[in-house]
Amino acid sequence: MAGEPAAPLAGLRVLDLGSFVAGPFGSTLLADYGAEVIKVEGPGGDPYRIYTVSFLAFHKGQDDIVVDLKTPEGRETFHDLVRSADVLLDNVRPGVRERIGTDHATLAAINPRLVRGTVTAWGTGNPLSATPAFDPLLQARSGLITAQGGAGAPCQSAMLVHDIGTGSLVAFGILAALYARRRDGLGQEVVTTMVNSSVMMQAGEFVRHAGRPAPAVGGHEYVGDTAVHRLHPCKEGWVAVAATTPEHAAALVAALDLADVGREAGVGGEAGAVALLRAPAAGPAADRITAALAGLTSAEAADLLAAAGVPAAPVLDRGGFLTDPWFAAAGILTRIDEPDVGPCTVVRRYADWSGNPVEITAAAPPPGAGTRRILAGLGYSDSRIAELLAAGAVREHPAP
């Protein structure tokens, strides 16, 4: 509607040359903020496309063009795309950008206002620079796997910790560079690594002081740090309890009728609540709490504790948030239709604004779905587009 504020990044054009997750997740965030994102794929396509539904989640709402950068005509077409763009982002290994002519120096000469997002695994100029990396390798080298495994065998997270973290970091850096461009009119290269994500995830390790409590470590049977800040089994499932103040502990005691727990420790009143906060995760106090919750389902336990003012939540199955009533009511998720897969649930948007952001309801397109339309938007004539298609410099879907 005329006069309504646009989405925060409306009018911004982003070229995504990334693959897998670490790079493309950054452009996905920018698309959620209202940017026009064009995925630029080579003739072989993004190898991550074999993970169909996951690919959709990381590329929803994007357009797609296939350009062969190994051909002179393809490079010329790509340079025209660069002239039209505000941002370009990728996550290829060092050396590849220079070889195919997508490095910052080359692109800045074509478009000085371009903000280039560069994601690598290990950074440049070190023995690991040229080697590929995937999330488990970063978890291993950073110590995260050891922290999760505790004193036992190492235990890696099944989540894409570094891919998501790095995509978020590069998107944040790109926004900062765009803000700086408003000041001086020039673009710049934003460089981050998956190693940066490892450091970010472990930022607490940099805080060292006399008397600092020992950092929490995981384990294959790790349920938490204290009796009131841990997972407790229920009649059905588990509940997570996170009491962190004397008020929380006192509310838990009242909700579960455990007034004698503090007395058993030799203290009462507020002092008893404080003592309960320090009670070990395995011990008499923890056993009493578990016993009090044993007759409840995880949902019932979470509701009971939350109503009393104790931070608590049911432990859902993996992917349980897709069908959980709270997530549905919170409006975090939305449904998109994918022609080959059918209706899919994805994140509606990762942030909200008081303005009028655009809702993304489109799935990720097949390779080259927007080739003809994007080139026409650059001013290419039908005959020029036909020549490029015939030469194999660009491709479209479906092929004519």
Side-chain angles (χ1 to χ4, degrees), residues 173-187:
I174 286 169
L175 293 177
L178 288 170
Y179 184 83
R181 191 178 73 173
R182 295 180 60 186
R183 180 185 63 233
D184 55 30
L186 295 175

Side-chain angles (χ1 to χ4, degrees), residues 140-386:
R141 187 169 286 275
S142 69
L144 282 173
I145 280 179
T146 299
Q148 186 66 28
C155 181
Q156 76 178 53
S157 171
M159 303 296 109
L160 298 175
V161 178
H162 292 86
D163 290 273
I164 301 301
T166 307
S168 302
L169 285 176
V170 74
F172 183 79
I174 286 169
L175 293 177
L178 288 170
Y179 184 83
R181 191 178 73 173
R182 295 180 60 186
R183 180 185 63 233
D184 55 30
L186 295 175
Q188 57 184 298
E189 185 175 23
V190 179
V191 181
T192 192
T193 70
M194 295 178 78
V195 177
N196 288 128
S197 294
S198 289
V199 175
M200 178 178 70
M201 300 296 177
Q202 300 182 84
E205 295 302 307
F206 291 99
V207 181
R208 300 295 173 94
H209 56 83
R212 176 199 173 189
V217 295
H220 294 267
E221 302 298 329
Y222 176 70
V223 292
D225 302 328
T226 70
V228 294
H229 200 289
R230 56 158 283 180
L231 308 177
H232 286 278
C234 300
K235 178 176 67 175
E236 178 184 305
W238 294 69
V239 65
V241 181
T244 57
T245 68
E247 291 76 17
H248 292 161
L252 182 144
V253 166
L256 300 182
D257 193 20
L258 297 176
D260 57 338
V261 170
R263 290 196 297 271
E264 290 175 358
V267 293
E270 183 177 346
V274 172
L276 186 57
L277 286 176
R278 298 171 180 166
D287 292 343
R288 290 292 308 280
I289 295 170
T290 296
L293 297 169
L296 304 173
T297 67
S298 60
E300 291 168 344
D303 289 344
L304 173 67
L305 294 174
V310 182
V315 177
L316 301 180
D317 292 335
R318 183 168 184 176
F321 65 90
L322 296 173
T323 55
D324 182 72
W326 181 87
F327 278 90
I332 294 171
L333 308 175
T334 190
R335 302 271 281 182
I336 61 174
D337 187 55
E338 209 291 322
D340 295 328
V341 178
C344 300
T345 300
V346 297
V347 173
R348 179 180 61 87
R349 196 166 49 248
Y350 288 97
D352 284 298
W353 293 266
S354 58
N356 184 32
V358 176
E359 289 288 335
I360 295 178
T361 57
T371 295
R372 188 177 293 272
R373 175 173 19 84
I374 293 168
L375 294 180
L378 295 177
Y380 283 33
S381 66
D382 289 343
S383 60
R384 177 57 178 161
I385 295 173

Side-chain angles (χ1 to χ4, degrees), residues 47-102:
Y48 197 65
R49 280 189 177 273
I50 63 172
Y51 301 97
T52 310
V53 177
S54 181
F55 183 90
L56 297 178
F58 291 118
H59 295 83
K60 62 186 176 70
Q62 299 186 14
D63 211 340
D64 195 287
I65 183 172
V66 173
V67 181
D68 189 350
L69 294 179
K70 295 180 180 178
T71 67
E73 298 91 345
R75 285 193 294 273
E76 181 182 346
T77 300
F78 174 70
H79 291 166
D80 284 339
L81 280 170
V82 169
R83 292 184 182 95
S84 75
D86 298 284
V87 175
L88 182 144
L89 189 155
D90 74 19
N91 59 315
V92 302
R93 277 181 276 172
V96 174
R97 298 172 181 87
E98 290 77 12
R99 189 166 67 248
I100 63 177
T102 62

